[in-house]
Amino acid sequence: MKFLLSKKDIQGSYHMINHLHEGYEIHFISKTRDMIKQSYQYIQGKFLTTGKGNMTTYQKKVPDCNNQSLQHFVSNSPWKHQPVLNHIQRDVVEAIGDPINGSIHVDECCLPKQGKHSVGTAHQYCGRLGKIANCQVGVFLGYTKDSFRTLLDERLYLPQYWIKDKERRKKCGIPWHIRFKKKTQLAWEMIQHTQKQHIPFGWIGMDCLYGRDSWLRNKIDQHDMIFIVDIPHNLRVWLQKPTVGIPQRKEGRGRPPSRKQVLDGESFRVDELKDRVAESEWKHLFIRDSERCELWADMLFLRVYPCEEDGLPGKECWLIISRNSENKGVTYQYSNAPKQISKNQLAKMSGSRYWIERTFQDGTGIAGLKDHQVRSWTGWHHHMTMTMLAMLYLLLLTIELGKKADFLTVQDAKEILEVVMPKRHISQEEFVQMLFEKQKKRVSARQSHHRQHR
């Protein structure tokens, strides 16, 4: 183990973050307003807050910080979020971009909500709770290389009735040109954007919700990109390509068939195949390092023809079945990787999904991804963008300080900034005023609630 960090290195981390933010200042200046100070305070609030953060806790922690000013910055300020995201993507590429070992990953983050007025909030499936609940759903794109990881891009999913409700759209400031798009369409938008940004990666990973969608898989394949995607255990495949054609009309039974169908060939559920293959076909392979030890798994690799949504066979691909030696769980994946790819590389690709899950843990537990007090379209995108900027700073700090400490984590980087960043010293008078402002907001919210439910 290497640990050569000194007090000078720790103090230098604060100056490093200041220097990094200077490169982003141009994005927070408009013709009429300079929001550089507020942009840094918002980031600083994330670093100095332990547990759930919001404007009130930021005001308590950050020197010369004003609750209303921060609220305006995130909810109403005219700075554009897309140029900031593009800048983040360029910095990520410079830091960890790799056309062979880098990978991008599609996943979603669900944010449970109490009310119904926050943009996109609806009764829909919430992955965090594992059931239908009142929540917002954001579709995100992350980047990983080995254990380094961060978020790159985001899209807010709007259910159809939000798109059709003109009053709600106006109240939340949803731009006129926004139309309904499925989550898989939002994912494809972000994947296409990586091409425009020249972001290098070796493969694309997705969870079951996106991996089971043959439209998205085919889009990726048609653009010569490699995917490895989780799939449900009940999808069907053929081990041999079945015969497809238009069946003959049965005598005396309706109109002649016009749609192609599978004429012969037996299909199997993917979870049936693990018991139909000899034990000698399984390979014991290294997946990735974990915090405690190396992680290995028993893996089975089969060439199959997946059943598409129209019931016809798709293009031949890999079916990867993994038995985790630790928890004995079984997972299933498709990949369009070349037929000649090594099994060790497929195993590495298979295990990379873990790191995007860790990325969301970083975002929610360290960078305050789910902690916001915004209801508008602009506010949601501003908050998510600032969260990704904070995650980038933590990534770059981890890389820099990690040169002298082998096992430095993102959580360690945040704790370092908690120590070295200046904190606000609050007088009793200021604290009383802050409590008064909180009470005013509670009374206002209560009165608003009563008016709406008369």
Side-chain angles (χ1 to χ4, degrees):
M1 182 187 77
K2 177 176 67 177
F3 189 87
L4 304 173
L5 287 177
S6 65
K7 181 179 178 181
K8 183 179 179 181
D9 296 319
I10 301 300
Q11 290 294 333
S13 62
Y14 171 60
H15 300 294
M16 178 183 170
I17 297 299
N18 280 330
H19 178 69
L20 289 170
H21 196 73
E22 286 174 1
Y24 282 82
E25 290 179 353
I26 190 174
H27 303 300
F28 304 110
I29 303 174
S30 67
K31 293 181 180 179
T32 59
R33 196 75 184 265
D34 178 341
M35 301 296 289
I36 293 174
K37 179 180 178 181
Q38 289 79 4
S39 70
Y40 186 75
Q41 288 177 331
Y42 202 82
I43 294 287
Q44 195 174 358
K46 289 178 174 291
F47 292 154
L48 293 178
T49 300
T50 302
K52 186 174 181 179
N54 52 43
M55 308 305 169
T56 302
T57 54
Y58 293 175
Q59 180 176 284
K60 293 177 183 177
K61 297 287 187 179
V62 179
D64 303 319
C65 186
N66 180 274
N67 186 336
Q68 293 180 345
S69 178
L70 279 190
Q71 188 67 56
H72 172 78
F73 165 76
V74 72
S75 297
N76 304 311
S77 184
W79 60 274
K80 306 296 184 183
H81 74 278
Q82 192 59 56
V84 182
L85 290 177
N86 291 343
H87 193 161
I88 290 171
Q89 291 161 12
R90 292 192 296 271
D91 283 349
V92 171
V93 169
E94 184 176 347
I96 59 173
D98 190 318
I100 298 174
N101 298 309
S103 57
I104 60 174
H105 296 263
V106 176
D107 211 338
E108 64 183 46
C109 183
C110 305
L111 308 176
K113 292 290 179 181
Q114 296 297 322
K116 59 182 181 180
H117 301 293
S118 296
V119 62
T121 298
H123 284 279
Q124 52 194 327
Y125 182 75
C126 179
R128 286 181 61 196
L129 302 178
K131 62 180 182 179
I132 301 295
N134 196 54
C135 65
Q136 289 174 321
V137 177
V139 183
F140 292 83
L141 191 73
Y143 194 95
T144 70
K145 181 199 172 187
D146 301 326
S147 62
F148 295 121
R149 70 269 182 182
T150 193
L151 293 178
L152 284 184
D153 208 348
E154 45 78 2
R155 296 290 189 276
L156 175 63
Y157 172 70
L158 293 178
Q160 288 206 38
Y161 74 82
W162 265 90
I163 296 295
K164 296 176 181 177
D165 192 327
K166 293 182 180 179
E167 184 177 345
R168 275 189 166 187
R169 289 182 64 124
K170 183 177 180 180
K171 192 171 183 179
C172 288
I174 299 173
W176 65 269
H177 58 83
I178 298 298
R179 298 292 182 264
F180 173 75
K181 293 178 181 176
K182 296 180 180 179
K183 295 175 184 177
T184 49
Q185 291 175 305
L186 298 176
W188 177 239
E189 273 188 8
M190 292 189 289
I191 293 170
Q192 283 184 301
H193 189 67
T194 65
Q195 302 298 285
K196 295 177 183 177
Q197 288 288 96
H198 304 291
I199 297 173
F201 57 87
W203 66 91
I204 300 169
M206 296 184 285
D207 74 357
C208 279
L209 177 66
Y210 301 87
R212 70 185 303 165
D213 190 285
S214 58
W215 174 85
L216 182 55
R217 296 198 311 267
N218 290 335
K219 279 285 188 183
I220 295 170
D221 185 72
Q222 289 162 10
H223 285 75
D224 298 321
M225 293 180 278
I226 294 175
F227 63 72
I228 185 162
V229 299
D230 294 351
I231 58 170
H233 64 88
N234 59 353
L235 293 192
R236 303 192 74 85
V237 299
W238 289 270
L239 295 177
Q240 303 293 330
K241 189 172 184 178
T243 303
V244 174
I246 298 175
Q248 294 183 351
R249 176 177 178 269
K250 294 183 179 179
E251 186 176 350
R253 293 191 180 181
R255 298 178 180 178
S258 59
R259 295 177 58 185
K260 288 184 176 181
Q261 299 178 24
V262 173
L263 301 180
D264 62 34
E266 184 181 6
S267 67
F268 302 90
R269 278 176 37 146
V270 294
D271 59 356
E272 296 174 340
L273 293 174
K274 69 180 187 299
D275 300 320
R276 296 178 63 91
V277 178
E279 192 66 26
S280 59
E281 294 295 314
W282 291 81
K283 309 293 183 184
H284 190 62
L285 298 172
F286 171 74
I287 302 296
R288 56 173 172 80
D289 283 317
S290 67
E291 292 182 357
R292 291 176 294 170
C293 59
E294 291 184 347
L295 182 64
W296 293 68
D298 295 322
M299 306 188 75
L300 181 65
F301 305 92
L302 301 172
R303 297 294 288 176
V304 300
Y305 296 88
C307 182
E308 305 274 84
E309 292 175 6
D310 59 5
L312 299 178
K315 185 177 177 181
E316 186 182 33
C317 68
W318 287 105
L319 169 64
I320 304 164
I321 305 176
S322 303
R323 297 187 306 210
N324 190 313
S325 57
E326 285 191 349
N327 57 27
K328 308 302 180 182
V330 180
T331 60
Y332 306 87
Q333 295 173 308
Y334 285 152
S335 178
N336 66 336
K339 190 173 183 178
Q340 65 273 19
I341 192 171
S342 73
K343 303 301 187 295
N344 286 327
Q345 179 65 9
L346 278 177
K348 178 180 179 179
M349 291 164 58
S350 175
S352 65
R353 284 287 310 155
Y354 168 81
W355 296 113
I356 195 63
E357 294 168 1
R358 288 294 303 270
T359 304
F360 278 107
Q361 292 175 10
D362 297 341
T364 56
I366 299 176
L369 184 146
K370 68 181 186 301
D371 301 330
H372 62 78
Q373 295 174 308
V374 295
R375 291 184 173 182
S376 68
W377 173 269
T378 297
W380 192 90
H381 287 283
H382 279 182
H383 171 76
M384 294 305 171
T385 299
M386 296 306 293
T387 298
M388 292 186 201
L389 187 56
M391 293 177 71
L392 171 68
Y393 293 167
L394 291 171
L395 169 67
L396 297 179
L397 186 59
T398 303
I399 293 173
E400 183 62 27
L401 297 184
K403 296 173 183 177
K404 295 186 176 182
D406 290 337
F407 294 95
L408 194 79
T409 67
V410 176
Q411 179 64 43
D412 294 334
K414 182 179 185 293
E415 291 175 359
I416 288 170
L417 293 176
E418 288 176 11
V419 171
V420 300
M421 276 189 158
K423 300 178 178 64
R424 180 173 183 174
H425 298 284
I426 306 175
S427 67
Q428 293 182 5
E429 291 78 7
E430 288 178 308
F431 187 69
V432 168
Q433 183 62 31
M434 289 168 60
L435 287 177
F436 175 67
E437 294 296 332
K438 285 179 66 175
Q439 296 300 311
K440 281 175 57 179
K441 288 186 177 181
R442 288 173 184 164
V443 171
S444 177
R446 184 181 180 87
Q447 291 173 342
S448 175
H449 179 79
H450 288 324
R451 285 195 298 268
Q452 293 169 9
H453 292 81
R454 283 178 180 173

